[in-house]
Amino acid sequence: MTSFLCEQIIDFEAAEAYEVNDIEGLIKQVKTYLAESEGKKVVVLLRNAHYLTTRAFAILYNYIQEPISTNVVFVLVSADKSKIFPPLLDFVQHD
């Protein structure tokens, strides 16, 4: 496992913000932070990820598939792995 020290954590609660526009806002926030803080690292903690809608998962999946900066790590936390978008599960490390 690679170590990753970060300067910023974005705590995102999906139980309260689970629609497409919420994920688009999160992605915009990540892009803005990375643009303003060249070289700094950010961790996005996406809590209760199983609440995301299928479209929101698709938007997140498409963003993660893009050649994004190696300075960002997404951590999805869920109590129900069966509700996570299957293509996303195939793409990420999980237990």
Side-chain angles (χ1 to χ4, degrees), residues 1-3 18 23:
M1 177 181 264
T2 305
S3 63
Y18 50 83
I23 292 300

Side-chain angles (χ1 to χ4, degrees), residues 22-85:
D22 301 315
I23 292 300
E24 288 172 339
L26 173 64
I27 291 168
K28 183 178 179 182
Q29 182 180 1
V30 170
K31 287 180 176 180
T32 300
Y33 179 80
L34 291 173
E36 293 173 352
S37 308
E38 190 172 318
K40 294 201 176 189
K41 298 184 181 199
V42 62
V43 170
V44 177
L45 180 62
L46 204 154
R47 294 184 292 127
N48 292 306
H50 58 279
Y51 280 102
L52 293 179
T53 65
T54 301
R55 286 262 311 125
F57 268 125
I59 298 291
L60 181 62
Y61 176 71
N62 287 338
Y63 177 67
I64 291 174
Q65 277 192 308
E66 292 176 9
I68 59 174
S69 170
T70 57
N71 291 349
V72 62
V73 171
F74 283 85
V75 178
L76 278 66
V77 180
S78 175
D80 191 352
K81 187 167 95 172
S82 68
K83 292 184 180 178
I84 302 294
F85 190 57

Side-chain angles (χ1 to χ4, degrees), residues 61 64-65 81 84-94:
Y61 176 71
I64 291 174
Q65 277 192 308
K81 187 167 95 172
I84 302 294
F85 190 57
L88 186 59
L89 277 180
D90 292 340
F91 190 72
V92 300
Q93 295 178 356
H94 58 88

